[in-house]
Amino acid sequence: MKKNILYLLAFMILVSCGDDIPQGEKDNAFWLDQADLTAMQQDWSAAHANLSCDSNKLSIAGKSYDRGVGTHAVSKLMIDVHGSGERFKGAAGVDDECSEQASVEFFILGDEEILWQSGLMKVGYSAKSFDINISGIQKLALYVSDGGDYIHYDHADWVNVRITYHDSVPVLVHPYKARPYVLTPPPPKEPRINGPSVYGAGAGNQFLYRIPATGEKPIKFKVKGLPEGLNIYEESGLIRGKTPANGIYELSLIAENDYGKDEKKFRIIVGQGLALTPPMGWNSWNCWGLSVDQQKVKIAARAMEAIGLADHGWSYLNIDDGWEAAERTETGFLLANEKFPNMQQLATDIHNMGLKLGIYSSPGPTTCGGYLGSWEHELIDARTWAMWGIDYVKYDWCSYNDIAKDQSLPELKKPYIHFHEVLGQVDRDIVYSMCQYGRGDVWTWGEEVGGNLWRTTYDIVDTWSSMSGIGFRQGEYAAYAGPGHWNDPDMLVVGKVGWGPDLRESRLTPDEQYTHISLWALLSAPLLLGCDLAQMDAFTLNLLTNDEVLAVNQDALGKQATKVYDGIRYQVWAKELEDGSMAVGIFNIGKDTPIEAFNWTNDEQKLKITVGADQLGLTGIHKVRDLWRQQDIGTFEKTFGANVPHHGVVLLKLTPEE
Ligand code: GAL
């Protein structure tokens, strides 16, 4: 009996101290907190040795730990143990610094098998310990999932993690980095007019459109059918002047150089709203965050022209949060802070390049970055921006929560209705971008309150889980998008991003970036670059200057793609185009399992995907064009097979054969 009690006591001690380091642990253990943690990939922030994600002492369910690694879901790490490991020990849990939204699951994998999993864990759950026999295993992997919801506050701690081994010291494996590869062929020397075939403007307002065209410079531009009040500048291709009366104006744009000539039909629609195709441009947030300044915007504008983005239809330069002065003037004006010495001059310079300038504010007293918002100064702000020459306003939500009585629909709509009325009182075309992250199913009423676009989601980050999670969810909102009113799945995360003064390469793989641009094109999503345009590498530039891909986005019909096939490993999306053809994206989404999150072999993984005519609702023979390669690749009648890289895409245009 006594013996039994002793055993029970010993057992209780073992269980309650399961996440402690037992006395006498062998010295030759490999401790994770002493390794080079840059090998750990995670969807937010970076892994910290012996500290939490927010750099606090590691703490799980009120118990603090001296040793371990603070990470953030989705988190991945592979360790090569060379078949020489003995045991893998430690514990895991959600850090106490998290809010209640946190939920994760920890997995330990060995040579493509799950060796241990924690089950769903939330803040306040005691750490779960593990002690696993790993003899014979070559590769161990640690994975933290987002627990099936989004990655919000998913601060996950691996504590007291160590490997005991025989001979070879375990080594952390740095993630396999696929090489960027270019698919878009360079444009020919002869002129090609790009961009949309329709453009909306408001009668009597200033008109500005730069004809985007590639081809050897100099190019001479002409326009047939130009209404009175508008002029074409032959050298630059800028159409400027005063917008004529309401109506539809059919024009022909002409571009000519030493190698040839191109002509394109172009409709100016006056009085039926703005943004008749999704806005394309740049926004400062995903690169510079609050460190944006006038010089950086100027540099972005110059780069947009110099590297040729403007020749493919990229035109907006949107200043996000961080431009506002600390106080209004006595008469209530909100001026720019010292980082923007002359906003009006900036607008003039940008307009002289044929480009457009955007700004940011919030309906609440302060913005998300803590700057002054437009609360109770909406009209004076709109007038100021019109005077400066602003062409686009992103109107956020932050701090309006304190003003709204509740989260009912009338309260959610109120500030946006009001600001739309205010925009109607200024004589300037200002695109209205609503940014309240999808509250109250904004897609169902965004058009009614006058929005040209509305964010359907929280902020994007440059990871596969964020980009694909947001992008592939957009099908549900397809019916609400159309010319002048678009769903906005947030800005692009290709190129050099950083949300602050220090930039880094996007963490999306090249294939994931092809998916990102293809999907946003199919979704008729606003295309706003969130990277430093002055530091753009050849791969990113190539990715953003494929006119056939951009034409899918800018198609005048304005129909958002829908998902026509939803599988575990792949999805097929289709978008009807104005000319009767169909753009089809075949996406290899990978299976969302912990095992498949790792590339165990370092081989390129391709998946053969077959799409049937019935899935697309097509009959008859269709010509198939590969849009990224800009090549005709055969015909399609009953089925089409494509080899699609892991997390990659094949983007096609199917045109009925006459
Ligand atoms: C967020 C918004 C971001 C950015 C930021 C500025 O609410 O989603 O895109 O504008 O505010 O503080």
Side-chain angles (χ1 to χ4, degrees):
M1 179 71 182
K2 243 186 181 169
K3 214 170 159 192
N4 281 351
I5 289 174
L6 270 176
Y7 277 141
L8 189 68
L9 244 147
F11 176 73
M12 278 167 63
I13 290 168
L14 250 175
V15 168
S16 61
C17 299
D19 49 343
D20 286 331
I21 313 158
Q23 297 281 322
E25 174 83 46
K26 277 209 298 189
D27 281 343
N28 73 333
F30 169 86
W31 286 81
L32 192 57
D33 53 80
Q34 286 178 335
D36 171 14
L37 292 174
T38 55
M40 190 170 238
Q41 287 176 281
Q42 53 189 57
D43 277 12
W44 190 259
S45 185
H48 296 142
N50 305 326
L51 292 175
S52 69
C53 183
D54 281 350
S55 298
N56 297 314
K57 193 169 170 77
L58 295 164
S59 170
I60 303 169
K63 181 169 177 178
S64 54
Y65 296 85
D66 292 331
R67 302 197 75 165
V69 173
T71 182
H72 193 297
V74 173
S75 167
K76 299 178 213 173
L77 176 72
M78 191 179 265
I79 309 170
D80 200 341
V81 274
H82 329 282
S84 163
E86 277 175 359
R87 303 206 74 84
F88 186 35
K89 303 181 195 178
V94 174
D95 197 279
D96 290 331
E97 72 194 4
C98 295
S99 87
E100 298 204 330
Q101 287 177 48
S103 66
V104 303
E105 187 165 16
F106 295 84
F107 293 85
I108 297 171
L109 318 165
D111 294 340
E112 302 195 48
E113 268 180 44
I114 294 178
L115 305 179
W116 179 85
Q117 75 191 80
S118 66
L120 194 70
M121 294 197 71
K122 300 192 171 197
V123 71
Y125 288 22
S126 302
K128 287 208 178 153
S129 49
F130 50 86
D131 179 355
I132 307 163
N133 177 0
I134 53 166
S135 52
I137 282 182
Q138 294 297 322
K139 289 214 173 77
L140 270 179
L142 272 60
Y143 181 80
V144 186
S145 80
D146 67 1
D149 52 17
Y150 193 58
I151 61 166
H152 270 313
Y153 297 101
D154 285 351
H155 299 196
D157 297 340
W158 294 99
V159 292
N160 294 336
V161 180
R162 69 265 188 215
I163 297 167
T164 54
Y165 60 94
H166 299 294
D167 323 302
S168 314
V169 186
V171 176
L172 301 199
V173 182
H174 280 262
Y176 168 69
K177 207 165 181 281
R179 282 224 208 104
Y181 60 100
V182 156
L183 291 178
T184 306
K189 285 183 171 176
E190 54 267 27
R192 256 203 213 154
I193 301 176
N194 304 310
S197 61
V198 285
Y199 183 79
N205 292 347
Q206 265 180 36
F207 186 97
L208 173 62
Y209 183 77
R210 173 183 169 134
I211 303 171
T214 52
E216 196 101 323
K217 307 238 158 76
I219 299 177
K220 271 231 152 78
F221 294 91
K222 288 198 190 98
V223 179
K224 284 191 216 154
L226 201 62
E228 208 174 309
L230 299 186
N231 304 302
I232 169 76
Y233 292 79
E234 284 201 353
E235 313 286 319
S236 58
L238 264 56
I239 306 176
R240 296 188 89 156
K242 188 173 164 191
T243 307
N246 285 353
I248 297 179
Y249 301 85
E250 304 283 352
L251 278 58
S252 231
L253 311 178
I254 298 161
E256 206 165 356
N257 68 6
D258 289 348
Y259 299 89
K261 181 177 164 182
D262 192 23
E263 189 158 345
K264 178 177 172 136
K265 299 241 164 298
F266 189 68
R267 226 172 307 141
I268 298 178
I269 304 183
V270 182
Q272 293 181 36
L274 308 175
L276 299 184
T277 61
M280 284 174 66
W282 173 87
N283 171 294
S284 56
W285 187 249
N286 291 356
C287 42
W288 303 119
L290 294 174
S291 75
V292 63
D293 61 36
Q294 184 164 321
Q295 191 57 15
K296 289 190 171 106
V297 181
K298 232 178 181 168
I299 289 173
R302 281 200 207 119
M304 189 176 271
E305 186 164 59
I307 62 177
L309 285 169
D311 300 336
H312 300 270
W314 300 90
S315 65
Y316 284 95
L317 290 134
N318 295 347
I319 307 167
D320 209 282
D321 206 356
W323 63 268
E324 310 88 336
E327 283 175 12
R328 289 182 178 269
T329 65
E330 273 178 16
T331 43
F333 282 99
L334 176 55
L335 304 179
N337 59 36
E338 66 294 341
K339 292 191 294 164
F340 288 85
N342 196 337
M343 203 61 107
Q344 208 159 350
Q345 188 59 48
L346 179 66
T348 305
D349 293 347
I350 285 178
H351 292 155
N352 287 341
M353 297 161 92
L355 305 175
K356 312 265 175 96
L357 183 63
I359 210 157
Y360 163 97
S361 191
S362 171
T366 53
T367 65
C368 300
Y371 287 78
L372 278 187
S374 292
W375 168 237
E376 288 186 322
H377 293 84
E378 294 81 359
L379 184 58
I380 198 167
D381 285 356
R383 285 196 173 135
T384 308
W385 299 335
M387 185 185 73
W388 285 347
I390 296 294
D391 307 291
Y392 183 114
V393 173
K394 173 174 170 183
Y395 208 46
D396 212 320
W397 171 264
C398 275
S399 87
Y400 193 82
N401 255 349
D402 306 333
I403 305 292
K405 284 199 216 91
D406 50 42
Q407 295 286 309
S408 65
L409 267 188
E411 284 297 296
L412 292 178
K413 288 180 182 177
K414 204 151 118 192
Y416 294 100
I417 293 175
H418 181 46
F419 198 68
H420 180 242
E421 282 164 5
V422 156
L423 285 177
Q425 291 177 47
V426 300
D427 298 330
R428 187 162 182 88
D429 288 352
I430 300 183
V431 170
Y432 184 22
S433 151
M434 297 162 52
C435 176
Q436 46 82 291
Y437 335 114
R439 275 160 201 263
D441 294 347
V442 63
W443 42 91
T444 61
W445 50 268
E447 183 189 1
E448 165 201 322
V449 302
N452 291 119
L453 53 146
W454 46 82
R455 276 268 295 275
T456 55
T457 164
Y458 279 109
D459 293 16
I460 196 169
V461 292
D462 55 324
T463 61
W464 170 253
S465 69
S466 171
M467 183 276 290
S468 68
I470 290 172
F472 290 118
R473 205 172 53 227
Q474 300 298 311
E476 298 163 38
Y477 324 135
Y480 303 102
H485 49 96
W486 310 102
N487 291 311
D488 175 8
D490 206 3
M491 299 172 286
L492 300 169
V493 281
V494 300
K496 284 211 155 156
V497 294
W499 292 269
D502 303 319
L503 304 187
R504 55 176 165 73
E505 290 301 334
S506 167
R507 288 175 289 174
L508 296 179
T509 67
D511 281 314
E512 291 169 353
Q513 298 191 41
Y514 279 115
T515 288
H516 189 15
I517 302 300
S518 306
L519 187 54
W520 263 237
L522 285 164
L523 293 173
S524 312
L527 298 179
L528 290 166
L529 296 165
C531 57
D532 182 4
L533 304 187
Q535 294 187 60
M536 192 173 281
D537 59 90
F539 167 75
T540 312
L541 184 59
N542 186 268
L543 188 72
L544 301 172
T545 51
N546 186 314
D547 297 304
E548 298 193 20
V549 173
L550 295 175
V552 171
N553 177 264
Q554 292 294 301
D555 187 72
L557 192 61
K559 271 217 158 183
Q560 181 177 323
T562 52
K563 185 161 40 178
V564 296
Y565 181 81
D566 189 5
I568 301 172
R569 285 169 169 273
Y570 71 96
Q571 294 188 4
V572 181
W573 289 65
K575 173 178 161 87
E576 282 172 52
L577 301 174
E578 196 192 22
D579 66 359
S581 61
M582 183 182 267
V584 177
I586 307 171
F587 296 93
N588 173 354
I589 53 170
K591 230 167 139 197
D592 205 12
T593 68
I595 300 284
E596 298 216 4
F598 294 89
N599 183 340
W600 297 88
T601 55
N602 272 7
D603 287 340
E604 295 287 350
Q605 307 151 306
K606 285 200 177 179
L607 182 68
K608 171 99 196 226
I609 300 175
T610 305
V611 180
D614 50 338
Q615 289 172 325
L616 299 170
L618 294 179
T619 50
I621 301 173
H622 285 73
K623 197 178 82 185
V624 183
R625 188 160 173 86
D626 179 326
L627 293 183
W628 279 110
R629 292 178 177 81
Q630 300 187 349
Q631 276 169 12
D632 291 333
I633 52 170
T635 53
F636 175 100
E637 197 176 355
K638 293 202 168 64
T639 58
F640 180 84
N643 279 318
V644 191
H646 182 69
H647 286 182
V649 60
V650 167
L651 185 64
L652 307 171
K653 182 168 169 175
L654 307 180
T655 311
E657 278 208 330
E658 270 119 52

